[in-house]
Amino acid sequence: MIKVQGITKKVATQEGDLIILRDISLAVAQGESLAITGASGSGKSTLLGILAGLDVPTTGSVSLNNHSLTCLDEEGRAQVRADNVGFIFQSFQLLPGLSALENVMLPLELRGNKKAKSLALDFLAQVGLDKRMSHYPQQLSGGEQQRVAVARAFASQPKILFADEPTGNLDSATGARIIDLLFELNAEQGATLVLITHEDRLAARCQTRIELSAGEMMPSQGKQ
């Protein structure tokens, strides 16, 4: 599903090249869950962006669902993302002028899905927000906003779901509920899950965990 071979990411600075990632290789199988951990500044978000086709490596190759991302231009990568990928961010990324229902419907409508409303209603019900569907983001708690984001991601039925610190802005109890919901929905859909987290309890739920340190992958910790 995801294959990465020898990727490096460098950016030019006044002091010379800054190496963000160094010789990263990994593979994530269909339906597998992977946690990417490491201290702030270790390269986690850069790696996630490259895996999702939001960024490109300086060297190396990335394949996502049999598409060679490193051989595609931005338009090509965008199409691969549209066809295969869903995202959940710690900042929720909800549009403030749209209701919960409209936020979940929007990506479905952009794809021309004629069942956008019924799918959105179904997933809002699954995350326990069917009675809050007409509320706007500012009328929802942080946990409720993240549940809308989870519903939006899963409603598109992605083959691969990327999550960047999905519990980072939530209190412990709310974060635990979001973790349960994330893995319940993921198990139902059989999607591949790749997430960044600082939380051991979230990483422990994944089948595989890798740790980055100063842009390098530490010795594999294997299956949980």
Side-chain angles (χ1 to χ4, degrees), residues 65-141:
N65 198 21
N66 296 318
H67 297 278
S68 178
L69 296 181
T70 37
C71 293
L72 297 174
D73 59 14
E74 173 50 35
E75 183 177 351
R77 293 194 303 274
Q79 187 61 56
V80 172
R81 290 195 301 271
D83 293 340
N84 295 277
V85 169
F87 293 96
I88 301 173
F89 300 98
Q90 67 169 313
S91 55
F92 316 135
Q93 300 284 350
L94 302 180
L95 295 176
L98 300 182
S99 67
L101 176 61
E102 291 166 338
N103 264 286
V104 178
M105 287 176 60
L106 181 60
L108 296 169
E109 290 177 326
L110 291 175
R111 294 180 182 182
N113 192 317
K114 299 184 184 304
K115 297 181 179 179
K117 186 171 183 178
S118 62
L119 279 170
L121 288 169
D122 178 54
F123 277 91
L124 283 171
Q126 288 191 55
V127 301
L129 289 178
D130 46 319
K131 292 181 171 58
R132 305 278 278 168
M133 64 179 181
S134 61
H135 288 69
Y136 290 86
Q138 64 268 26
Q139 298 172 309
L140 301 171
S141 69

Side-chain angles (χ1 to χ4, degrees), residues 104-217:
V104 178
M105 287 176 60
L106 181 60
L108 296 169
E109 290 177 326
L110 291 175
R111 294 180 182 182
N113 192 317
K114 299 184 184 304
K115 297 181 179 179
K117 186 171 183 178
S118 62
L119 279 170
L121 288 169
D122 178 54
F123 277 91
L124 283 171
Q126 288 191 55
V127 301
L129 289 178
D130 46 319
K131 292 181 171 58
R132 305 278 278 168
M133 64 179 181
S134 61
H135 288 69
Y136 290 86
Q138 64 268 26
Q139 298 172 309
L140 301 171
S141 69
E144 288 171 332
Q145 290 183 61
Q146 190 60 301
R147 279 191 276 163
V148 173
V150 169
R152 179 182 59 190
F154 279 102
S156 297
Q157 299 177 311
K159 298 177 180 68
I160 305 166
L161 182 63
F162 293 97
D164 190 354
E165 295 285 4
T167 59
N169 285 333
L170 305 175
D171 62 72
S172 180
T174 303
R177 289 195 293 272
I178 291 296
I179 291 171
D180 287 341
L181 179 63
L182 183 63
F183 281 92
E184 286 167 11
L185 289 176
N186 192 63
E188 289 175 12
Q189 288 200 5
T192 300
L193 175 63
V194 179
L195 58 87
I196 288 175
T197 185
H198 285 98
E199 294 195 54
D200 283 337
R201 61 177 178 172
L202 179 49
R205 294 284 292 269
C206 294
Q207 293 164 295
T208 305
R209 173 178 180 171
I210 64 169
E211 181 179 358
L212 295 182
S213 178
E216 295 188 80
M217 212 164 86

